[in-house]
Amino acid sequence: MKALLFAAATLVTPFVTSSAHAGDEPMLEEARKVATSLPPKMLATLQAEIDKSGPAGAIPVCKDMAPKMAGKVLQETGWKIKRVSLKTRNDVRATPDDWEKAALEDFDKRAAAGEPPAKLEKGEKIGNEYRYVKALPVQPLCLNCHGSADQISADVKAVLKEHYPNDRATGYSEGQIRGAISVRKPL
Ligand code: HEC
């Protein structure tokens, strides 16, 4: 039934962009569900680690646990999931491709025009794939590792310098868009 509904939806709407509402397309809903499954887990784990061992001790959560969780999502759902940014910390993992870059630039424009960053998303069927990105706004907790120089402790700075010589992901303030969660799946 789900497949049938989807087939019908693709006939009527060959692709759906950010203006789509829940229910417009099963693929959009599925992508949104996958993309929103990880950030709350990451946030809770980051907070717990920061409470336990300080921000420097929480760096492995972003560095090692995030890709592990992504691997698990791929295994369980068939969706590839990653994080991308216009100002990367890990340029190997998080450099956006052209489609992601255009979406991120559009998110920045729309946020500057007053749209709430947490609502920014884009879903689109491209060729034989469905792709979806959702903005990741900076929350107070993120500033420990992505804020201005005076918000980042000396030990965090030292670890970042050691692992990320090309780090461009500092100097953010609360509410700005740090990047996006990007998911894709063959149709
Ligand atoms: C304890 C330090 C720390 C905190 C807190 C933190 N991050 Fe990060 N963040 C990192 C590190 C380290 C990386 C690089 C991960 C890697 O190697 O893939 C990273 C990478 C990212 C990336 C991937 C893009 C890139 O630049 O490489 C995004 C997006 C991101 N963080 C968003 C956030 C958001 C949003 C928050 C707050 C909810 C946050 N981070 C909190 C340390 C942190």
Side-chain angles (χ1 to χ4, degrees), residues 112-155:
E115 282 189 58
K119 293 235 162 88
L120 296 169
E121 62 172 357
K122 178 185 172 83
E124 194 171 12
K125 183 173 168 285
I126 300 180
N128 63 348
E129 237 187 354
Y130 193 84
R131 302 195 61 176
Y132 172 88
V133 272
K134 183 169 177 60
L136 285 170
V138 173
Q139 306 180 37
L141 171 92
C142 318
L143 300 174
N144 283 302
C145 302
H146 295 294
S148 56
D150 59 318
Q151 289 170 314
I152 303 178
S153 68
D155 52 347

Side-chain angles (χ1 to χ4, degrees), residues 19-91:
S19 57
H21 296 291
D24 281 357
E25 190 185 330
M27 238 18 213
L28 173 66
E29 275 188 63
E30 197 184 314
R32 186 188 286 131
K33 206 172 136 201
V34 170
T36 51
S37 65
L38 284 193
K41 282 185 208 159
M42 282 283 298
L43 195 66
T45 315
L46 269 174
Q47 187 64 65
E49 273 309 311
I50 290 174
D51 291 346
K52 204 172 88 189
S53 44
I59 286 177
V61 177
C62 257
K63 185 171 159 289
D64 308 317
M65 214 185 93
K68 257 188 220 147
M69 284 165 115
K72 207 165 152 235
V73 169
L74 176 64
Q75 237 176 13
E76 285 170 359
T77 68
W79 286 87
K80 263 193 201 159
I81 181 166
K82 63 184 288 197
R83 296 179 301 179
V84 291
S85 177
L86 293 173
K87 277 172 60 191
T88 49
R89 172 155 290 165
N90 188 329
D91 50 358

